[in-house]
């Protein structure tokens, strides 16, 4: 009687960035769980049922989806971007880990997608061209002290950084504090990219030096990429500058 | 007379993981540059020309592609995975930065793709579910001392790690050394995932504890993911274990 649960990544929002694998998983499913703007992106058939929910109810949503799959449903949990990057795949795994034994028998699959930092990086050039890290700036699920420690560690070790969940109404100050922490570690000339709705009609990509980066340049749908001292910016006439992180690092630049 | 250059990511190898945007970029291009196995994945028309090359000639390939685009060509540079993650986008940007002024006038675009770590993570569950980093273990382009420093920084700050270019014939020892470095920082129980050809018929996903991880468990086409002390493994009957990194981190676990 056990059914299946597929966690699907729909990419950053441009329908042309959804993989055929993700669309096939949607077609094969009968019940859909997810944050309502993601569910709204799907062209569902009348026999496919929506169980949309608010964005802050991830664990409850994962449990409801697993319950239905355990009862034989063909369930799809929908994420934007990639489901494994600050999205629903981890919430589903947490629910399985803490849930009844039969949830472990469910046929679980995760369908990857283009995550936001890749789409934003592509619009800027190649800012993630060297070693990089992805950090959620939300302190809803971890202490701010841990985030501070990771920012310093990443900056001093030379990682490019991509910030997810940079800011929200309930957390208006974290991104500005993060920039202050980084300004103490990195040159003020380091490029910072604010990327919103990459690949969508309302796309907005802004590049500023770290010295001028401010928290209110982002909203909750923005992915922020901070370069390293090695990251370079190529100015162009009539086009946005190119930002890239060189693949090489000379002995002398350690 | 200036043409266009598009750097396209074809994803990890499963044709169902190529985005429609990438396929459209291929259709619109007339000349293709890239490592020959990536070019071989494309169903090109007779009027579309291949300029395949060896994998170690990235900068020369980028320059040849830019030269052709500067002369009016509709040029496509092909990468596996995502072109911005240890692939051709940075090489193209480096060539533009060091090249003649007219190369800056070329219409440059980068089309993102599903990068290897996302495809491997999806097969394992959600090992990248918390803050993570991506590190190239190749010391062809940076000193090994920098790699060692980044491994220690990432492990002590609590980042999950994904290793690209883990090993090659010319660099047979780096991955083993990386595991030795990490064993000095992390519990031996931390899950390590070796993912090869994720989503392809010859897919191979292996999970071992860090205490048992060895360099010869990977080849040059493997993406290796190393968890943190928080990463968990859920055992299942008749199915591969699920590996995930919880989204939350308690105050007490700093």
């Amino acid at each position: 009687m056990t059914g299946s649960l597929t966690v699907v990544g729909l990419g950053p929002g441009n329908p042309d960035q959804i993989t055929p694998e993700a669309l096939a998983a949607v077609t094969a499913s009968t019940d859909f769980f997810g944050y309502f703007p993601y569910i709204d992106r799907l062209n569902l058939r009348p026999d496919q049922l929506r169980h949309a929910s608010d964005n802050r109810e991830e664990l409850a949503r994962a449990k409801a989806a697993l319950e239905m799959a355990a009862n034989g449903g063909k369930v799809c949990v929908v994420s934007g971007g990639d489901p494994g990057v600050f999205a629903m795949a981890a919430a589903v795994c947490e629910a399985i880990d803490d849930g009844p034994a039969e949830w472990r028998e469910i046929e679980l699959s995760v369908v990857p997608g283009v995550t936001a930092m890749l789409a934003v990086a592509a619009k800027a050039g190649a800012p993630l061209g060297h070693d990089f890290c992805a950090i959620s700036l939300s302190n809803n699920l971890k202490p701010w002290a841990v985030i501070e420690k990771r920012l310093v560690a990443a900056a001093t070790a030379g990682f490019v950084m991509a910030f997810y969940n940079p800011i929200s109404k309930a957390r208006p100050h974290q991104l500005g504090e993060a920039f202050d922490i980084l300004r103490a570690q990195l040159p003020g000339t380091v490029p910072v990219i604010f990327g919103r709705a990459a690949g969508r009609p309302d796309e907005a990509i802004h590049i500023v030096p770290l010295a001028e980066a401010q928290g209110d340049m982002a909203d909750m749908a923005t992915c922020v990429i901070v370069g390293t001292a090695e990251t370079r910016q190529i100015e162009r006439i009539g086009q946005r500058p190119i930002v890239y992180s060189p693949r090489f690092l000379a002995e002398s630049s350690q």
Side-chain angles (χ1 to χ4, degrees), chain A:
Chain A
M1 188 58 184
T2 288
S4 62
L5 191 152
T6 306
V7 194
V8 171
L10 296 183
N14 176 344
D16 287 339
Q17 291 177 341
I18 304 179
T19 68
E21 183 185 34
L23 288 179
V26 168
T27 300
S29 301
T30 56
D31 287 271
F32 294 80
F33 290 81
Y35 178 43
F36 49 82
Y38 301 143
I39 299 257
D40 285 346
R41 285 198 211 158
L42 306 174
N43 291 315
L44 297 182
R45 303 184 305 264
D47 64 306
Q48 292 179 306
L49 300 180
R50 300 159 172 257
H51 309 266
S53 57
D54 187 86
N55 201 20
R56 289 163 297 184
E57 298 169 4
E58 294 184 339
L59 201 56
R61 182 193 306 151
K63 287 177 181 171
L66 284 159
E67 187 67 44
M68 185 168 281
N71 287 323
K74 291 182 178 177
V75 178
C76 184
V77 174
V78 179
S79 273
D82 178 86
V85 177
F86 307 118
M88 283 303 297
V92 168
C93 293
E94 288 164 24
I96 294 172
D97 206 5
D98 291 337
E102 59 263 32
W103 286 5
R104 301 181 184 212
E105 296 171 27
I106 293 168
E107 188 187 325
L108 174 70
S109 46
V110 180
V111 176
V114 174
T115 182
M117 66 179 166
L118 301 184
V120 170
K123 291 291 173 182
L128 305 178
H130 202 61
D131 299 335
F132 64 93
C133 62
I135 303 176
S136 169
L137 288 192
S138 169
N139 60 343
N140 291 342
L141 295 167
K142 66 189 168 198
W144 178 250
V146 169
I147 299 172
E148 287 185 333
K149 178 180 163 187
R150 289 182 183 166
L151 291 170
V152 172
T156 53
F159 287 100
V160 178
M161 283 168 246
F163 297 151
Y164 285 71
N165 307 315
I167 203 158
S168 76
K169 279 181 189 167
R171 300 179 292 103
H173 303 301
Q174 276 84 341
L175 181 59
E177 287 180 35
F179 289 141
D180 286 340
I181 290 166
L182 294 179
R183 277 189 277 265
Q185 307 289 339
L186 294 170
T189 52
V190 164
V192 178
I193 302 155
F194 294 86
R196 195 180 184 290
R200 300 206 300 259
D202 54 337
E203 171 180 300
I205 309 287
H206 297 293
I207 302 166
V208 303
L210 177 58
E212 297 170 20
Q214 294 177 21
D216 63 6
M217 294 174 175
D219 67 9
M220 64 178 284
T222 305
C223 182
V224 181
I225 298 177
V226 181
T228 71
E230 307 295 322
T231 302
R232 303 197 52 159
Q233 187 161 330
I234 307 172
E235 301 301 331
R236 295 185 295 175
I237 297 165
Q239 295 188 79
R240 191 162 54 216
I242 294 169
V243 177
Y244 78 98
S245 300
R247 300 163 303 149
F248 55 85
L249 188 66
E251 294 283 346
S252 59
S253 60
Q254 289 177 53

